[in-house]
Amino acid sequence: MLCQECGERQAEVVLTTVINGESTTRHLCRECVKKYKAGDLQSILAAVLSAMAEKKQTPDLTCPRCGETYQEFQKTGMLGCAECYSAFRKELTPLITRVQGRAQHAGRRPPVSEEEQARQSQIETLRFQMEAAVAEENFEEAARLRDALRALTPAKEEKA
Amino acid sequence: MNSIVVSSRVRLARNYEDLPFRGKITPEQCDECVNRTLDALRDLPDAYTYLPMEGMEENEKKALMESHLISPDLLKNEEGAAVLVRGDEKIAVMMNEEDHLRIQAFCPGDNLPEAARNAFAIEDALQSKLSFAFDSQLGYLTACPTNTGTGMRASVMLHLPMLTLFKQMGKVGQLAAKVGLTIRGIYGEGSEAQGNLYQLSNQVTLGRTEEELTQAVAATARQMAEMESVFRQRAWEKDKVGFEDQVYRSFGLLTNARRMTVKEFMVHWSSLRLGAAMEMLPVSWETCDHLLTAAQPAHVLKAAGAALEEKEADAFRTQIVRRAIQGGN
Protein backbone atom coordinates (compact mmCIF):
# COMPACT_ATOMS: atom_id res chain seq x y z
CA MET A 1 0.00 0.00 0.00
CA LEU A 2 1.26 3.44 -0.88
CA CYS A 3 1.51 6.22 1.69
CA GLN A 4 -1.77 8.12 1.87
CA GLU A 5 0.03 11.40 2.35
CA CYS A 6 2.68 11.53 -0.38
CA GLY A 7 1.33 8.71 -2.54
CA GLU A 8 4.93 7.89 -3.49
CA ARG A 9 6.61 5.81 -0.82
CA GLN A 10 5.42 2.52 0.65
CA ALA A 11 3.20 2.91 3.73
CA GLU A 12 4.84 1.30 6.76
CA VAL A 13 3.09 2.91 9.70
CA VAL A 14 -0.57 2.99 10.67
CA LEU A 15 -1.31 6.23 12.44
CA THR A 16 -4.51 6.69 14.39
CA THR A 17 -5.37 10.15 15.59
CA VAL A 18 -8.29 10.95 17.82
CA ILE A 19 -9.52 14.50 17.53
CA ASN A 20 -12.62 15.50 19.48
CA GLY A 21 -13.52 11.84 19.94
CA GLU A 22 -13.39 11.07 16.22
CA SER A 23 -10.68 8.65 15.23
CA THR A 24 -8.88 8.75 11.90
CA THR A 25 -6.65 5.96 10.61
CA ARG A 26 -4.03 6.68 8.00
CA HIS A 27 -1.38 4.49 6.36
CA LEU A 28 1.82 6.47 6.05
CA CYS A 29 5.47 6.13 5.09
CA ARG A 30 8.19 6.86 7.65
CA GLU A 31 8.89 10.28 6.17
CA CYS A 32 5.32 11.50 6.32
CA VAL A 33 4.67 10.09 9.76
CA LYS A 34 7.36 12.44 11.06
CA LYS A 35 5.28 15.41 9.93
CA TYR A 36 2.30 14.15 11.92
CA LYS A 37 4.41 13.49 14.98
CA ALA A 38 5.78 17.02 14.74
CA GLY A 39 2.19 18.22 14.91
CA ASP A 40 2.25 19.94 11.55
CA LEU A 41 -1.22 21.54 11.42
CA GLN A 42 -1.43 21.17 7.66
CA SER A 43 -0.95 17.41 7.99
CA ILE A 44 -3.52 17.22 10.77
CA LEU A 45 -6.02 19.09 8.61
CA ALA A 46 -5.26 16.76 5.68
CA ALA A 47 -5.97 13.76 7.93
CA VAL A 48 -9.29 15.17 9.13
CA LEU A 49 -10.34 16.10 5.58
CA SER A 50 -9.47 12.74 4.08
CA ALA A 51 -11.31 10.96 6.89
CA MET A 52 -14.38 13.07 6.07
CA ALA A 53 -14.04 12.28 2.38
CA GLU A 54 -13.81 8.54 3.13
CA LYS A 55 -17.01 8.72 5.11
CA LYS A 56 -18.56 10.59 2.17
CA GLN A 57 -19.13 13.65 4.32
CA THR A 58 -18.83 16.07 1.43
CA PRO A 59 -21.25 18.96 1.48
CA ASP A 60 -22.35 20.06 -1.98
CA LEU A 61 -20.87 23.55 -1.94
CA THR A 62 -19.26 25.71 -4.60
CA CYS A 63 -17.59 29.09 -4.12
CA PRO A 64 -19.54 31.60 -6.25
CA ARG A 65 -16.41 33.62 -7.00
CA CYS A 66 -13.67 31.14 -7.95
CA GLY A 67 -15.74 28.00 -8.54
CA GLU A 68 -13.84 25.87 -6.00
CA THR A 69 -16.00 23.01 -4.71
CA TYR A 70 -15.88 21.66 -1.19
CA GLN A 71 -14.80 18.35 -2.67
CA GLU A 72 -11.73 20.01 -4.21
CA PHE A 73 -10.92 21.54 -0.83
CA GLN A 74 -11.22 18.15 0.86
CA LYS A 75 -8.71 16.75 -1.61
CA THR A 76 -6.11 19.52 -1.52
CA GLY A 77 -6.64 21.25 1.83
CA MET A 78 -6.33 24.52 -0.09
CA LEU A 79 -8.99 27.14 -0.70
CA GLY A 80 -9.44 28.92 -4.03
CA CYS A 81 -9.94 32.51 -2.93
CA ALA A 82 -10.87 34.73 0.01
CA GLU A 83 -14.57 34.29 -0.83
CA CYS A 84 -14.30 30.49 -0.22
CA TYR A 85 -14.09 31.31 3.48
CA SER A 86 -17.60 32.80 3.29
CA ALA A 87 -18.96 30.10 0.98
CA PHE A 88 -17.70 27.27 3.24
CA ARG A 89 -17.90 29.12 6.55
CA LYS A 90 -20.28 26.72 8.27
CA GLU A 91 -17.99 23.77 7.50
CA LEU A 92 -14.69 25.58 7.92
CA THR A 93 -15.23 27.13 11.33
CA PRO A 94 -15.38 23.81 13.25
CA LEU A 95 -12.43 22.47 11.22
CA ILE A 96 -10.31 25.52 11.97
CA THR A 97 -11.32 25.41 15.64
CA ARG A 98 -10.28 21.76 15.71
CA VAL A 99 -6.76 22.37 14.43
CA GLN A 100 -6.16 25.82 15.92
CA GLY A 101 -7.93 25.40 19.23
CA ARG A 102 -9.52 28.82 18.89
CA ALA A 103 -11.66 30.50 16.26
CA GLN A 104 -11.45 34.21 16.98
CA HIS A 105 -8.64 36.32 15.56
CA ALA A 106 -6.83 38.34 18.22
CA GLY A 107 -3.93 39.84 16.30
CA ARG A 108 -3.23 42.78 14.02
CA ARG A 109 -5.90 44.20 11.76
CA PRO A 110 -5.65 46.10 8.51
CA PRO A 111 -5.79 49.87 8.93
CA VAL A 112 -9.09 51.53 8.06
CA SER A 113 -8.48 54.03 5.26
CA GLU A 114 -9.69 57.64 5.47
CA GLU A 115 -11.93 56.92 2.51
CA GLU A 116 -13.46 53.95 4.31
CA GLN A 117 -13.90 55.99 7.49
CA ALA A 118 -15.71 58.69 5.50
CA ARG A 119 -17.89 56.07 3.82
CA GLN A 120 -18.80 54.46 7.15
CA SER A 121 -19.78 57.79 8.74
CA GLN A 122 -21.81 58.74 5.65
CA ILE A 123 -23.66 55.42 5.88
CA GLU A 124 -24.42 56.05 9.55
CA THR A 125 -25.78 59.52 8.79
CA LEU A 126 -27.96 58.22 5.95
CA ARG A 127 -29.33 55.40 8.12
CA PHE A 128 -30.20 57.85 10.84
CA GLN A 129 -31.93 60.17 8.38
CA MET A 130 -33.77 57.25 6.79
CA GLU A 131 -35.08 56.00 10.13
CA ALA A 132 -36.20 59.53 10.97
CA ALA A 133 -37.99 59.81 7.60
CA VAL A 134 -39.76 56.48 8.20
CA ALA A 135 -40.81 57.64 11.66
CA GLU A 136 -42.23 60.79 10.10
CA GLU A 137 -43.95 58.62 7.47
CA ASN A 138 -42.11 60.55 4.79
CA PHE A 139 -41.76 57.45 2.60
CA GLU A 140 -40.68 59.28 -0.51
CA GLU A 141 -37.70 60.75 1.33
CA ALA A 142 -37.02 57.37 3.01
CA ALA A 143 -36.92 55.62 -0.39
CA ARG A 144 -34.51 58.25 -1.73
CA LEU A 145 -32.27 57.78 1.31
CA ARG A 146 -32.47 53.98 0.97
CA ASP A 147 -31.24 54.22 -2.63
CA ALA A 148 -28.41 56.52 -1.60
CA LEU A 149 -27.52 54.01 1.11
CA ARG A 150 -27.53 51.13 -1.35
CA ALA A 151 -25.17 52.98 -3.63
CA LEU A 152 -22.68 53.20 -0.76
CA THR A 153 -22.99 49.60 0.45
CA PRO A 154 -21.69 46.63 -1.53
CA ALA A 155 -24.35 43.91 -2.00
CA LYS A 156 -22.52 41.50 0.34
CA GLU A 157 -22.43 43.90 3.29
CA GLU A 158 -26.06 44.89 2.92
CA LYS A 159 -27.23 41.30 3.37
CA ALA A 160 -25.34 41.03 6.61
CA MET B 1 22.08 33.27 24.79
CA ASN B 2 23.40 33.96 21.30
CA SER B 3 25.85 31.16 21.82
CA ILE B 4 22.87 28.81 21.58
CA VAL B 5 20.14 30.71 19.69
CA VAL B 6 21.64 31.05 16.23
CA SER B 7 18.98 33.16 14.54
CA SER B 8 15.42 34.45 14.70
CA ARG B 9 12.87 34.60 11.90
CA VAL B 10 9.34 35.89 11.45
CA ARG B 11 7.20 34.98 8.46
CA LEU B 12 3.83 36.52 7.55
CA ALA B 13 1.46 34.95 5.05
CA ARG B 14 -0.69 37.49 3.20
CA ASN B 15 -3.05 37.41 0.22
CA TYR B 16 -4.58 40.15 -1.87
CA GLU B 17 -8.30 40.45 -1.36
CA ASP B 18 -9.22 40.55 -5.06
CA LEU B 19 -6.92 37.86 -6.49
CA PRO B 20 -7.68 34.11 -6.35
CA PHE B 21 -5.33 31.97 -4.26
CA ARG B 22 -2.61 29.75 -5.69
CA GLY B 23 -4.87 26.94 -6.93
CA LYS B 24 -7.14 29.21 -8.98
CA ILE B 25 -4.88 32.05 -10.03
CA THR B 26 -4.18 32.76 -13.73
CA PRO B 27 -0.71 33.63 -15.07
CA GLU B 28 -1.90 37.21 -15.66
CA GLN B 29 -3.04 37.49 -12.05
CA CYS B 30 0.34 36.13 -10.90
CA ASP B 31 1.99 38.97 -12.81
CA GLU B 32 -0.47 41.41 -11.27
CA CYS B 33 0.47 40.13 -7.81
CA VAL B 34 4.16 40.79 -8.54
CA ASN B 35 3.58 44.18 -10.15
CA ARG B 36 1.44 45.66 -7.42
CA THR B 37 3.79 44.35 -4.72
CA LEU B 38 6.86 45.86 -6.37
CA ASP B 39 5.00 49.08 -7.01
CA ALA B 40 3.84 49.42 -3.40
CA LEU B 41 7.33 48.68 -2.08
CA ARG B 42 9.12 50.98 -4.52
CA ASP B 43 9.67 53.70 -1.93
CA LEU B 44 11.27 51.57 0.76
CA PRO B 45 14.37 53.28 2.13
CA ASP B 46 16.78 50.38 1.55
CA ALA B 47 18.04 48.75 -1.63
CA TYR B 48 16.16 45.62 -2.66
CA THR B 49 16.81 43.13 -5.45
CA TYR B 50 13.97 41.55 -7.39
CA LEU B 51 14.65 37.95 -8.37
CA PRO B 52 12.11 36.10 -10.53
CA MET B 53 12.42 32.30 -10.41
CA GLU B 54 11.65 31.87 -14.09
CA GLY B 55 14.86 31.42 -16.02
CA MET B 56 17.00 31.48 -12.88
CA GLU B 57 19.86 28.98 -12.77
CA GLU B 58 19.23 25.93 -10.62
CA ASN B 59 22.25 26.56 -8.42
CA GLU B 60 21.16 30.13 -7.78
CA LYS B 61 17.77 28.86 -6.59
CA LYS B 62 19.43 26.32 -4.32
CA ALA B 63 21.69 29.01 -2.87
CA LEU B 64 18.63 31.17 -2.08
CA MET B 65 17.09 28.18 -0.36
CA GLU B 66 20.24 27.50 1.66
CA SER B 67 20.07 31.12 2.83
CA HIS B 68 16.39 30.54 3.74
CA LEU B 69 15.42 33.47 1.51
CA ILE B 70 13.09 31.25 -0.49
CA SER B 71 11.21 28.07 0.39
CA PRO B 72 11.07 24.79 -1.54
CA ASP B 73 7.38 25.60 -2.08
CA LEU B 74 8.23 28.70 -4.10
CA LEU B 75 9.95 26.49 -6.68
CA LYS B 76 6.89 24.29 -7.11
CA ASN B 77 5.17 26.99 -9.15
CA GLU B 78 7.50 28.78 -11.48
CA GLU B 79 4.64 30.92 -12.84
CA GLY B 80 5.19 34.38 -11.40
CA ALA B 81 7.22 33.02 -8.50
CA ALA B 82 9.70 35.63 -7.34
CA VAL B 83 11.43 37.07 -4.31
CA LEU B 84 12.35 40.59 -3.33
CA VAL B 85 15.44 40.60 -1.14
CA ARG B 86 16.88 43.46 0.91
CA GLY B 87 20.59 44.11 0.30
CA ASP B 88 21.63 42.69 3.68
CA GLU B 89 19.42 39.60 3.14
CA LYS B 90 17.55 40.29 6.37
CA ILE B 91 14.21 40.79 4.65
CA ALA B 92 12.75 38.71 1.83
CA VAL B 93 9.29 38.97 0.31
CA MET B 94 8.29 35.85 -1.62
CA MET B 95 5.60 36.32 -4.24
CA ASN B 96 3.29 33.64 -5.63
CA GLU B 97 4.26 31.01 -3.11
CA GLU B 98 1.47 29.05 -1.41
CA ASP B 99 0.12 32.49 -0.52
CA HIS B 100 0.43 35.62 -2.64
CA LEU B 101 3.01 36.96 -0.22
CA ARG B 102 5.29 35.45 2.34
CA ILE B 103 7.03 38.30 4.12
CA GLN B 104 10.12 37.08 5.96
CA ALA B 105 12.47 38.93 8.29
CA PHE B 106 15.63 37.47 9.82
CA CYS B 107 17.86 38.51 12.69
CA PRO B 108 21.01 36.91 13.99
CA GLY B 109 20.79 35.58 17.54
CA ASP B 110 17.85 35.76 19.91
CA ASN B 111 15.89 38.69 18.49
CA LEU B 112 12.34 37.85 17.47
CA PRO B 113 10.99 41.32 18.36
CA GLU B 114 13.24 42.99 15.80
CA ALA B 115 12.43 40.38 13.15
CA ALA B 116 8.73 40.97 13.84
CA ARG B 117 9.13 44.77 13.62
CA ASN B 118 10.88 44.43 10.26
CA ALA B 119 8.20 42.12 8.88
CA PHE B 120 5.41 44.42 10.07
CA ALA B 121 7.13 47.43 8.50
CA ILE B 122 6.87 45.70 5.12
CA GLU B 123 3.27 44.77 5.82
CA ASP B 124 2.47 48.38 6.75
CA ALA B 125 4.07 49.67 3.56
CA LEU B 126 1.90 47.29 1.53
CA GLN B 127 -1.27 47.87 3.52
CA SER B 128 -1.07 51.61 3.18
CA LYS B 129 -1.74 51.14 -0.53
CA LEU B 130 -3.30 47.70 -0.98
CA SER B 131 -5.93 45.50 0.68
CA PHE B 132 -5.22 42.04 2.04
CA ALA B 133 -7.87 39.34 2.43
CA PHE B 134 -9.07 39.74 6.00
CA ASP B 135 -12.02 38.49 8.03
CA SER B 136 -12.90 39.90 11.43
CA GLN B 137 -13.35 36.41 12.86
CA LEU B 138 -10.61 34.47 11.06
CA GLY B 139 -8.07 37.26 10.64
CA TYR B 140 -5.78 37.30 7.61
CA LEU B 141 -7.06 34.71 5.16
CA THR B 142 -4.61 32.21 3.69
CA ALA B 143 -4.74 29.56 0.98
CA CYS B 144 -4.46 26.83 3.60
CA PRO B 145 -6.88 27.40 6.48
CA THR B 146 -4.26 26.28 9.03
CA ASN B 147 -2.41 29.60 8.60
CA THR B 148 -5.27 32.04 9.10
CA GLY B 149 -5.38 34.61 11.87
CA THR B 150 -2.00 36.23 12.30
CA GLY B 151 -0.62 34.26 9.35
CA MET B 152 2.55 34.40 11.38
CA ARG B 153 5.26 31.86 12.03
CA ALA B 154 7.87 32.98 14.52
CA SER B 155 10.87 30.69 14.70
CA VAL B 156 14.32 30.48 16.19
CA MET B 157 17.21 28.27 15.18
CA LEU B 158 18.84 26.59 18.15
CA HIS B 159 22.19 24.82 18.40
CA LEU B 160 21.67 21.97 20.85
CA PRO B 161 24.64 19.57 20.59
CA MET B 162 24.64 18.49 24.24
CA LEU B 163 20.89 17.99 24.52
CA THR B 164 21.23 15.82 21.41
CA LEU B 165 24.25 13.92 22.74
CA PHE B 166 22.55 13.19 26.06
CA LYS B 167 19.39 12.09 24.24
CA GLN B 168 17.20 14.84 25.65
CA MET B 169 15.55 15.90 22.39
CA GLY B 170 12.48 13.75 23.02
CA LYS B 171 11.87 15.62 26.26
CA VAL B 172 12.61 18.92 24.58
CA GLY B 173 10.02 18.10 21.93
CA GLN B 174 7.40 17.35 24.57
CA LEU B 175 8.20 20.61 26.31
CA ALA B 176 7.61 22.46 23.04
CA ALA B 177 4.36 20.59 22.31
CA LYS B 178 3.00 21.43 25.75
CA VAL B 179 3.06 25.13 24.95
CA GLY B 180 1.76 24.78 21.39
CA LEU B 181 5.17 24.98 19.73
CA THR B 182 6.99 22.56 17.50
CA ILE B 183 10.69 21.75 17.20
CA ARG B 184 12.30 20.02 14.27
CA GLY B 185 15.71 19.35 12.83
CA ILE B 186 16.96 21.28 9.83
CA TYR B 187 19.51 20.62 7.10
CA GLY B 188 18.83 17.06 5.98
CA GLU B 189 18.69 13.69 7.68
CA GLY B 190 20.22 12.55 10.95
CA SER B 191 20.80 14.89 13.87
CA GLU B 192 24.60 14.89 13.57
CA ALA B 193 24.56 15.65 9.88
CA GLN B 194 22.16 18.47 10.70
CA GLY B 195 24.80 20.14 12.81
CA ASN B 196 22.57 19.60 15.87
CA LEU B 197 20.48 22.53 14.68
CA TYR B 198 16.79 22.72 15.43
CA GLN B 199 14.01 25.07 14.57
CA LEU B 200 11.48 25.99 17.23
CA SER B 201 8.29 27.66 16.01
CA ASN B 202 4.65 28.32 16.81
CA GLN B 203 2.07 25.88 15.46
CA VAL B 204 -1.16 27.78 15.93
CA THR B 205 -1.65 31.10 14.21
CA LEU B 206 -5.21 32.00 15.22
CA GLY B 207 -6.61 33.35 18.47
CA ARG B 208 -3.32 34.70 19.84
CA THR B 209 -1.71 38.06 19.25
CA GLU B 210 1.58 38.34 17.41
CA GLU B 211 3.26 39.37 20.67
CA GLU B 212 1.91 36.33 22.49
CA LEU B 213 3.22 34.06 19.76
CA THR B 214 6.70 35.62 19.57
CA GLN B 215 6.95 35.70 23.36
CA ALA B 216 5.97 32.04 23.63
CA VAL B 217 8.67 31.06 21.13
CA ALA B 218 11.30 33.32 22.71
CA ALA B 219 10.56 32.16 26.25
CA THR B 220 10.68 28.49 25.33
CA ALA B 221 13.87 29.04 23.31
CA ARG B 222 15.49 30.56 26.40
CA GLN B 223 14.36 27.65 28.50
CA MET B 224 15.93 25.24 26.00
CA ALA B 225 19.12 27.32 25.87
CA GLU B 226 19.26 27.12 29.65
CA MET B 227 18.90 23.32 29.50
CA GLU B 228 21.61 23.12 26.84
CA SER B 229 23.94 25.22 29.04
CA VAL B 230 23.40 22.88 31.95
CA PHE B 231 24.31 19.87 29.82
CA ARG B 232 27.35 21.66 28.36
CA GLN B 233 28.54 22.33 31.88
CA ARG B 234 27.81 18.76 32.91
CA ALA B 235 29.72 17.33 29.93
CA TRP B 236 32.66 19.62 30.67
CA GLU B 237 32.81 18.60 34.34
CA LYS B 238 32.36 14.94 33.59
CA ASP B 239 35.12 14.66 30.99
CA LYS B 240 36.97 17.89 30.30
CA VAL B 241 39.63 16.21 28.17
CA GLY B 242 37.02 14.37 26.13
CA PHE B 243 35.13 17.61 25.58
CA GLU B 244 38.27 19.47 24.50
CA ASP B 245 39.35 16.56 22.34
CA GLN B 246 36.12 16.67 20.36
CA VAL B 247 36.31 20.42 19.82
CA TYR B 248 40.02 20.52 18.89
CA ARG B 249 39.75 17.50 16.61
CA SER B 250 37.01 19.19 14.65
CA PHE B 251 38.95 22.45 14.63
CA GLY B 252 42.00 20.56 13.38
CA LEU B 253 40.06 18.87 10.61
CA LEU B 254 38.31 22.04 9.51
CA THR B 255 41.59 23.93 9.30
CA ASN B 256 43.62 21.15 7.69
CA ALA B 257 41.40 18.88 5.62
CA ARG B 258 41.72 19.22 1.86
CA ARG B 259 38.45 17.57 0.88
CA MET B 260 35.22 17.46 2.87
CA THR B 261 31.62 16.58 2.08
CA VAL B 262 28.89 18.82 3.42
CA LYS B 263 27.73 16.00 5.67
CA GLU B 264 31.13 15.73 7.33
CA PHE B 265 31.39 19.49 7.48
CA MET B 266 28.13 19.73 9.43
CA VAL B 267 29.39 17.27 12.05
CA HIS B 268 32.57 19.29 12.65
CA TRP B 269 30.80 22.59 12.29
CA SER B 270 28.71 21.66 15.31
CA SER B 271 31.81 21.08 17.44
CA LEU B 272 33.39 24.25 16.09
CA ARG B 273 30.34 26.30 17.09
CA LEU B 274 30.29 24.64 20.49
CA GLY B 275 33.98 25.45 20.99
CA ALA B 276 33.49 29.02 19.80
CA ALA B 277 30.50 29.51 22.09
CA MET B 278 32.56 28.26 25.04
CA GLU B 279 35.41 30.57 24.07
CA MET B 280 37.82 27.70 23.55
CA LEU B 281 38.77 28.62 19.99
CA PRO B 282 40.16 31.64 18.15
CA VAL B 283 36.90 31.73 16.18
CA SER B 284 33.78 33.77 16.87
CA TRP B 285 30.33 32.27 16.72
CA GLU B 286 29.52 34.89 14.07
CA THR B 287 32.20 33.32 11.86
CA CYS B 288 30.68 29.91 12.53
CA ASP B 289 27.22 31.14 11.55
CA HIS B 290 28.55 32.75 8.38
CA LEU B 291 30.28 29.47 7.50
CA LEU B 292 27.15 27.46 8.08
CA THR B 293 25.64 28.96 4.94
CA ALA B 294 28.87 29.59 3.02
CA ALA B 295 29.86 25.91 3.07
CA GLN B 296 26.51 24.54 1.85
CA PRO B 297 26.68 22.92 -1.62
CA ALA B 298 25.09 25.67 -3.75
CA HIS B 299 27.08 28.40 -1.99
CA VAL B 300 30.30 26.49 -2.63
CA LEU B 301 29.53 26.26 -6.35
CA LYS B 302 28.50 29.90 -6.42
CA ALA B 303 31.75 30.98 -4.76
CA ALA B 304 33.75 28.86 -7.19
CA GLY B 305 31.97 30.59 -10.05
CA ALA B 306 32.18 27.42 -12.12
CA ALA B 307 30.56 24.01 -12.41
CA LEU B 308 32.59 21.68 -10.21
CA GLU B 309 32.65 17.91 -9.95
CA GLU B 310 31.61 16.62 -6.54
CA LYS B 311 35.21 15.98 -5.47
CA GLU B 312 36.33 19.40 -6.68
CA ALA B 313 33.48 21.02 -4.77
CA ASP B 314 34.44 19.10 -1.62
CA ALA B 315 37.99 20.39 -2.06
CA PHE B 316 36.85 23.97 -2.64
CA ARG B 317 34.68 23.77 0.49
CA THR B 318 37.81 23.29 2.61
CA GLN B 319 39.34 26.43 1.10
CA ILE B 320 36.25 28.44 2.03
CA VAL B 321 36.34 27.03 5.54
CA ARG B 322 40.05 27.71 6.08
CA ARG B 323 39.77 31.22 4.73
CA ALA B 324 36.84 32.04 7.02
CA ILE B 325 38.44 30.56 10.14
CA GLN B 326 41.87 32.07 9.53
CA GLY B 327 40.60 35.36 8.15
CA GLY B 328 38.13 35.68 10.97
CA ASN B 329 35.10 36.53 8.87
Side-chain angles (χ1 to χ4, degrees):
Chain A
M1 183 176 196
L2 284 178
C3 170
Q4 289 179 321
E5 172 78 18
C6 62
E8 285 169 11
R9 290 174 289 263
Q10 207 60 35
E12 293 177 62
V13 185
V14 180
L15 188 77
T16 308
T17 36
V18 182
I19 305 169
N20 291 353
E22 193 173 322
S23 84
T24 312
T25 305
R26 303 208 81 204
H27 297 264
L28 302 170
C29 68
R30 294 198 182 276
E31 277 311 298
C32 291
V33 87
K34 277 188 204 156
K35 287 197 286 182
Y36 283 84
K37 290 259 163 83
D40 181 342
L41 295 189
Q42 212 157 335
S43 306
I44 294 170
L45 176 73
V48 175
L49 286 176
S50 78
M52 282 172 70
E54 270 165 38
K55 290 183 189 148
K56 308 247 183 293
Q57 293 172 350
T58 309
D60 183 22
L61 292 170
T62 305
C63 171
R65 193 169 119 195
C66 72
E68 167 128 332
T69 61
Y70 197 82
Q71 196 179 2
E72 277 179 80
F73 167 62
Q74 255 179 356
K75 225 181 261 171
T76 61
M78 296 287 166
L79 293 164
C81 69
E83 187 68 26
C84 291
Y85 278 94
S86 306
F88 307 155
R89 187 175 291 271
K90 234 180 84 198
E91 279 67 28
L92 276 177
T93 308
L95 266 183
I96 292 174
T97 315
R98 200 185 266 199
V99 295
Q100 293 269 6
R102 295 184 191 178
Q104 179 55 56
H105 178 56
R108 286 161 63 93
R109 290 170 173 273
V112 179
S113 67
E114 274 176 40
E115 210 175 290
E116 179 59 23
Q117 273 176 10
R119 190 180 74 97
Q120 291 294 352
S121 79
Q122 210 180 339
I123 287 173
E124 263 172 53
T125 314
L126 284 171
R127 271 212 186 111
F128 178 77
Q129 288 175 340
M130 186 172 76
E131 277 158 23
V134 171
E136 286 166 19
E137 296 186 14
N138 186 350
F139 296 116
E140 208 175 309
E141 176 67 2
R144 192 189 66 78
L145 290 164
R146 181 201 59 208
D147 291 343
L149 202 53
R150 272 199 189 147
L152 278 173
T153 334
K156 192 174 61 172
E157 219 176 289
E158 199 184 7
K159 255 189 271 162
Chain B
M1 253 316 268
N2 285 351
S3 62
I4 294 166
V5 181
V6 178
S7 59
S8 306
R9 164 159 56 153
V10 165
R11 181 220 75 190
L12 300 175
R14 293 290 183 265
N15 289 280
Y16 292 115
E17 198 172 34
D18 59 327
L19 298 178
F21 296 157
R22 190 71 224 167
K24 300 279 177 192
I25 202 166
T26 65
E28 292 73 31
Q29 287 167 324
C30 283
D31 290 342
E32 169 59 23
C33 170
V34 171
N35 291 338
R36 66 168 70 165
T37 307
L38 294 181
D39 207 44
L41 296 179
R42 185 147 296 158
D43 302 326
L44 286 177
D46 310 286
Y48 281 77
T49 313
Y50 168 65
L51 303 165
M53 293 302 118
E54 208 175 339
M56 184 184 282
E57 270 186 46
E58 281 310 306
N59 193 63
E60 192 63 34
K61 289 180 193 167
K62 279 189 198 141
L64 288 170
M65 238 181 324
E66 287 171 359
S67 304
H68 304 288
L69 295 169
I70 66 168
S71 62
D73 262 4
L74 187 72
L75 300 177
K76 279 190 196 154
N77 5 276
E78 207 162 74
E79 198 80 64
V83 64
L84 187 69
V85 184
R86 194 166 82 174
D88 61 2
E89 301 197 340
K90 288 197 176 145
I91 294 177
V93 183
M94 282 190 271
M95 289 163 262
N96 293 311
E97 208 244 24
E98 183 182 299
D99 293 296
H100 294 150
L101 300 178
R102 289 281 173 102
I103 303 165
Q104 295 195 96
F106 313 85
C107 277
D110 171 28
N111 202 348
L112 277 175
E114 192 187 327
R117 266 197 303 281
N118 286 342
F120 293 141
I122 299 291
E123 187 198 29
D124 287 340
L126 288 161
Q127 268 189 157
S128 67
K129 293 172 186 162
L130 301 161
S131 295
F132 289 135
F134 181 84
D135 178 275
S136 56
Q137 187 207 338
L138 295 173
Y140 287 96
L141 301 177
T142 48
C144 178
T146 55
N147 292 324
T148 58
T150 56
M152 184 174 86
R153 186 129 295 142
S155 59
V156 288
M157 200 199 278
L158 295 153
H159 183 226
L160 307 174
M162 288 301 146
L163 288 178
T164 310
L165 183 72
F166 288 99
K167 308 213 182 311
Q168 298 295 307
M169 288 315 294
K171 265 191 218 165
V172 169
Q174 285 166 10
L175 179 84
K178 238 185 235 171
V179 286
L181 307 179
T182 174
I183 186 161
R184 58 188 74 160
I186 36 179
Y187 286 114
E189 286 302 297
S191 54
E192 274 207 338
Q194 292 173 358
N196 300 310
L197 286 165
Y198 298 87
Q199 186 164 296
L200 176 74
S201 63
N202 61 300
Q203 273 183 302
V204 296
T205 51
L206 181 67
R208 281 90 174 158
T209 65
E210 290 78 2
E211 289 71 26
E212 284 172 334
L213 292 173
T214 48
Q215 274 168 18
V217 174
T220 309
R222 280 171 205 154
Q223 206 179 340
M224 289 176 183
E226 194 53 48
M227 288 163 71
E228 169 69 17
S229 294
V230 168
F231 277 91
R232 285 183 186 186
Q233 202 55 42
R234 198 175 288 179
W236 176 263
E237 281 161 12
K238 209 170 133 196
D239 183 10
K240 180 172 178 270
V241 176
F243 196 112
E244 285 181 328
D245 184 60
Q246 188 200 336
V247 168
Y248 289 115
R249 261 172 199 276
S250 287
F251 182 69
L253 272 167
L254 289 170
T255 45
N256 290 286
R258 289 297 186 267
R259 193 179 276 158
M260 195 179 269
T261 64
V262 70
K263 203 170 163 187
E264 189 189 355
F265 166 77
M266 289 304 286
V267 174
H268 298 302
W269 176 87
S270 182
S271 301
L272 184 80
R273 182 127 192 346
L274 179 64
M278 308 229 353
E279 296 178 356
M280 295 162 64
L281 296 172
V283 185
S284 67
W285 49 261
E286 286 95 337
T287 299
C288 296
D289 297 350
H290 157 78
L291 253 186
L292 176 63
T293 313
Q296 295 301 317
H299 276 81
V300 169
L301 291 187
K302 205 177 154 186
L308 299 180
E309 295 285 324
E310 211 173 303
K311 277 186 174 174
E312 292 172 318
D314 289 346
F316 195 68
R317 176 171 296 112
T318 65
Q319 285 186 38
I320 293 173
V321 172
R322 281 198 304 277
R323 229 177 284 146
I325 293 178
Q326 280 148 14
N329 79 64

